[in-house]
Amino acid sequence: MTIHIGAGPGEIAETVLLPGDPLRAKWAAETFLDNPVCVNRVRGMWGFTGHWKSHPVTIQGSGMGMPSLSIYANELIRDFNAQTLIRIGSCGAMQERIQIREIILAMTCSSISTPSQGIFRDLNFAPCADWSLLNAAWRAAQARGTPAHVGGIYSSDVFYDERPDLNEQMIRHGILGVEMEAAELYNLAARHGRRALAVLTVSDHLITHEALPSADREKGFADMIEIALEAAFA
Ligand code: HPA
């Protein structure tokens, strides 16, 4: 039991999927895991542990933004011994060739700042995905015929962005999409020697301004979750 996760000893699996939305954690656990058990209710940030193809898996909400994710990822790593942490979430596409519903596998994450800034100070640390997970997720997407893009993403501190010039620079430098959590997850995994990856579904588009209709969201998110599970146990 930690300050933010009420699970008892042994109730969190070594493999943890981290959606931002706690209700998505509940849906994913009920949809993809066998015999999911609720292991966390603190602050309504649901966490569930069950089995996928007989492998133990926990699906724990992380909340929105890096400060929130950092709390859950720190406790999962330091107190519950999580070894493989995969963010499953949505992102905004930043390249025209990327379509709504497609998958982005985040190879690296650029940011203006993260909760780790206090450690890195003037160092531009480059948070990157675990190669074994990234490679396995790519292969899983290929095998399913799910369109997936691999490359750098931008982990922003703000959803309502007042810096259009910054987005222009991201787009110009080939960044695939924007979300708000992955850079800190990769920092923490690097610090503690764990494996991390972000598998993201494109829910909106910063160039075309398209957005995924809410009725279509479940199917897109289902592909992302299955790719994450297949990568974790490849
Ligand atoms: N910005 C930041 N985070 C996001 C976005 C976005 O446009 N879409 C989904 N997550």
Side-chain angles (χ1 to χ4, degrees):
M1 197 130 119
T2 57
I3 295 173
H4 303 93
I5 301 176
E11 287 187 343
I12 301 281
E14 285 192 358
T15 298
V16 183
L17 266 47
L18 291 159
D21 178 354
L23 291 177
R24 198 170 298 150
K26 186 171 188 290
W27 174 79
E30 287 169 354
T31 307
F32 296 100
L33 302 187
D34 296 327
N35 306 316
V37 174
C38 182
V39 294
N40 187 43
R41 297 167 202 272
V42 178
R43 291 175 181 246
M45 195 59 78
W46 299 97
F48 295 83
T49 297
H51 286 80
W52 181 78
K53 297 190 177 172
S54 75
H55 302 288
V57 175
T58 294
I59 306 183
Q60 169 63 53
S62 72
M64 289 180 282
M66 289 183 269
S68 179
L69 174 131
S70 187
I71 290 170
Y72 294 99
N74 261 296
E75 293 181 11
L76 288 164
I77 289 172
R78 289 156 35 147
D79 300 296
F80 291 101
N81 198 32
Q83 297 293 328
T84 296
L85 299 100
I86 305 181
R87 164 160 159 71
I88 48 173
S90 59
C91 71
M94 297 184 105
Q95 301 293 328
E96 260 175 63
R97 68 178 186 282
I98 300 176
Q99 310 292 317
I100 299 292
R101 295 185 194 82
E102 291 182 345
I103 299 280
I104 292 178
L105 303 174
M107 186 156 65
T108 63
C109 309
S110 299
S111 67
I112 290 185
S113 78
T114 73
S116 295
Q117 198 75 33
I119 297 178
F120 294 132
R121 301 194 198 173
D122 48 359
L123 174 72
N124 285 318
F125 183 75
C128 75
D130 175 83
W131 166 248
S132 64
L133 288 177
L134 179 60
N135 186 30
W138 167 250
R139 286 168 183 267
Q142 293 284 101
R144 301 167 63 83
T146 303
H149 305 264
V150 181
I153 63 157
Y154 171 42
S155 295
S156 175
D157 280 337
V158 286
F159 188 88
Y160 297 103
D161 199 351
E162 302 281 351
R163 287 274 312 267
D165 61 311
L166 195 60
N167 284 343
E168 277 167 31
Q169 292 303 335
M170 294 290 167
I171 291 165
R172 185 171 162 231
H173 288 82
I175 291 297
L176 302 180
V178 54
E179 53 83 80
M180 299 182 65
E181 292 83 13
E184 179 65 1
L185 179 64
Y186 289 8
N187 286 336
L188 291 171
R191 192 173 309 150
H192 296 282
R194 311 300 161 98
R195 304 196 303 162
L197 177 68
V199 181
L200 306 167
T201 301
V202 175
S203 62
D204 51 271
H205 207 297
L206 272 71
I207 299 173
T208 66
H209 302 294
E210 278 177 277
L212 191 60
S214 49
D216 286 5
R217 285 186 180 229
E218 237 166 58
K219 168 76 179 86
F221 293 144
D223 279 343
M224 166 177 77
I225 294 161
E226 287 185 318
I227 288 168
L229 288 166
E230 283 170 25
F233 300 106

